[in-house]
Amino acid sequence: MQSQDKQNEKIVENKELNIWEALIPVIALVIMLFYNVFYAFGDDALSGSNQFILLLGAAVAAVVGVFNKVSYKQMVEEVAQNVKSTTGALLILLMVGALAGTWLISGIIPTMIYYGLQILNPTIFLASCVVICAIISIATGSSWTTSATVGIALIGIAEALGISLGMTAGAVLSGAYFGDKLSPLSDTTNLAPAMAGTDLFTHIKYMTYTTVPTIIVTLIVFIIIGVGLDPVGVADTTSILASIDASFNISPWLFIVPILVIVMIVRKTPPLIALLAGTLLGGLAALIFQPEIVTTIGGGDTLDFTSGYKGIMNAITVDTSVATDNEALNDLFSAGGMSGMLGTIWLIICAMVFGGVMDAIGALARISKALLSLFHTTFGLFASTVASCLALNLTASDQYLAIVVPGKMYSKAFKDKGLAPENLSRTLEDSGTVTSVLVPWNTCGAYQSGVLGVPVIDYFAFAIFNWLSPFTTLLFAAFRIKIRQLKEA
């Protein structure tokens, strides 16, 4: 975070360490992660095994450090500083989980989805898929949930209309990952700034510079493609809208809460305060607009103080779901609360342990110097970061690791180059988060192709936003567009 102390910002030098020794923990980590994800646990790797692999990587780094005259005490102190630097990010993650819970039971998220589905127009079906999935993904913070619910419905509609499923899946994923990148509810959107050393809302603001042009180009391409399509049926979302309407009291008044939170953010209210306010306002809206849901979640028969209190607190802290008569929507209308963020928090802490030991033994400084000697230009450093993220998506097979490992490894190099940390966090998302779905054996590629029933090879070319994003971030770097310097931060 930007508030981290000066001690954590200094570069730890170790003249005893050569570049090959510095790379040993990184190589060991990548090999272990690749095996863990690809051969052992697959989609379940994030349940804890990847976190422990990061600790094993830290152990390898510690052994290298011992052989290069670094004391155990030095390593522990650097780990402590690293973990301390993420305090703000961890608290924000917890508050994001709380916000998602109250915004679900209040009907705010369902209302966004309800009005989003109504913009579906058969004549511009593919572009509509992008917009709908973007809105829903921003509201939920989850590309996976978006594709597994509304995405499946849109695939069904496309099949009825006689539109290519590969095109539709590409449009769905383009919109879903656009929303995932910009939503403060998204775990990757929280993870990237935590790794790079900036704050959540600075990161989101800085991402819009590359993300908005990319989604505009994506929409233009899909509109052009759509002109040549000849739908054979009519898109029908009546049953989905009816299910939402039957389960929630849908009202445009609910938009007041997210609008107030956006206003607070624009007026530079500290993120924790804005998210806390949004959580409390969501709870109040739930009591006003969805008293029956609050009562049910609170375990009461009628709404009173106890059932209301328990309903709101359950939504804030633990898994909460609102059942509908549409099975596909049930996964969408669920939230993990603060407890749902613990896996990501666990991952961040373990990554900080790995990064802290690597920093203490001088490995990060050694790797950063080697990178800066190889890439004498700003563009070269950005290109190296993009390549590292893509390589980790291909080898470690997980988007989180494609953010965590390059994030810790390159943060020193960006600082040495005088670049603000939001440059790194934006690049991590532009190249790590969105490209994971383009790799068939990556957890994201395997999941999305399985859920949508469309092979990666069929939707690859049409996931325009996903493969265009790395090129956009490199284009901005090449022409030095919105490349913020540290002295400006």
Side-chain angles (χ1 to χ4, degrees), residues 13 55 61 81 96 101 193 197 223 348 379 395-397 400 437 439 443 454:
E13 302 277 359
L55 296 182
Q81 288 296 327
V96 164
I223 289 171
I348 290 175
F379 175 78
T395 57
S397 305
Y400 296 95
V437 74
V439 181
T443 52
V454 182

Side-chain angles (χ1 to χ4, degrees), residues 331-388:
D331 287 336
L332 185 60
F333 295 147
S334 62
M338 296 171 80
S339 65
M341 291 294 176
L342 294 180
T344 304
I345 289 172
W346 187 10
L347 181 70
I348 290 175
I349 292 173
C350 292
M352 290 300 102
V353 173
F354 174 74
V357 177
M358 286 286 286
D359 204 0
I361 69 174
L364 291 183
R366 190 69 188 85
I367 292 171
S368 296
K369 282 190 174 182
L371 290 170
L372 291 175
S373 67
L374 288 173
F375 303 102
H376 298 290
T377 64
T378 297
F379 175 78
L381 184 57
F382 277 85
S384 177
T385 307
V386 170
S388 297

Side-chain angles (χ1 to χ4, degrees), residues 25-40:
V26 176
I27 295 170
L29 179 67
V30 170
I31 291 172
M32 288 188 291
L33 289 173
F34 177 78
Y35 177 82
N36 194 59
V37 174
F38 192 70
Y39 290 104

Side-chain angles (χ1 to χ4, degrees), residues 33-313:
L33 289 173
F34 177 78
Y35 177 82
N36 194 59
V37 174
F38 192 70
Y39 290 104
F41 287 94
D43 291 347
D44 293 328
L46 275 176
S47 298
S49 56
N50 274 351
Q51 286 88 327
F52 186 69
I53 292 296
L54 283 165
L55 296 182
L56 288 179
V60 173
V63 172
V64 173
V66 169
F67 278 99
N68 284 274
K69 302 177 181 179
V70 180
S71 71
Y72 175 80
K73 181 180 178 182
Q74 285 177 274
M75 289 185 265
V76 171
E77 286 179 353
E78 195 62 35
V79 167
Q81 288 296 327
N82 250 23
V83 174
K84 179 182 177 182
S85 73
T86 64
T87 301
L90 300 182
L91 291 173
I92 285 173
L93 272 173
L94 289 173
M95 200 52 62
V96 164
L99 182 84
T102 60
W103 281 24
L104 169 65
I105 67 167
S106 65
I108 293 171
I109 290 174
T111 295
M112 290 181 179
I113 295 170
Y114 183 84
Y115 288 111
L117 283 172
Q118 292 188 55
I119 69 172
L120 187 64
N121 187 326
T123 60
I124 50 170
F125 177 77
L126 294 174
S128 297
C129 288
V130 175
V131 174
I132 289 167
C133 290
I135 292 171
I136 293 171
S137 191
I138 288 174
T140 63
S142 173
S143 56
W144 283 32
T145 302
T146 300
S147 59
T149 51
V150 177
I152 292 175
L154 292 172
I155 288 289
I157 293 170
E159 197 164 12
L161 293 173
I163 295 174
S164 163
L165 299 188
M167 289 183 182
T168 306
V172 166
L173 294 173
S174 292
Y177 276 83
F178 167 80
D180 192 308
K181 276 183 66 179
L182 292 184
S183 174
L185 303 180
S186 168
D187 47 8
T188 57
T189 307
N190 283 271
L191 185 61
M195 292 299 100
T198 187
D199 67 84
L200 173 64
F201 293 114
T202 297
H203 168 64
I204 291 174
K205 177 183 176 182
Y206 214 65
M207 271 204 301
T208 60
Y209 296 130
T210 55
T211 300
V212 172
T214 305
I215 199 66
I216 289 173
V217 171
T218 301
L219 282 168
I220 291 172
V221 172
F222 276 119
I223 289 171
I224 293 171
I225 293 174
V227 169
L229 295 178
D230 184 22
V232 297
V234 178
D236 183 17
T237 58
T238 305
S239 61
I240 297 175
L241 294 174
S243 295
I244 297 174
D245 201 27
S247 302
F248 296 91
N249 178 20
I250 301 299
S251 170
W253 289 106
L254 285 165
F255 283 108
I256 291 175
V257 175
I259 288 171
L260 286 174
V261 173
I262 291 170
V263 169
M264 292 178 71
I265 294 168
V266 170
R267 293 180 66 86
K268 301 187 183 301
T269 302
L272 275 174
I273 295 175
L275 292 171
L276 176 60
T279 299
L280 297 177
L281 288 171
L284 179 62
L287 293 171
I288 296 172
F289 290 93
Q290 321 294 340
E292 292 182 1
I293 292 176
V294 175
T295 302
T296 301
I297 295 173
D301 296 322
T302 57
L303 182 63
D304 54 26
F305 180 82
T306 299
S307 62
Y309 173 78
K310 288 181 65 178
I312 300 300
M313 289 299 289

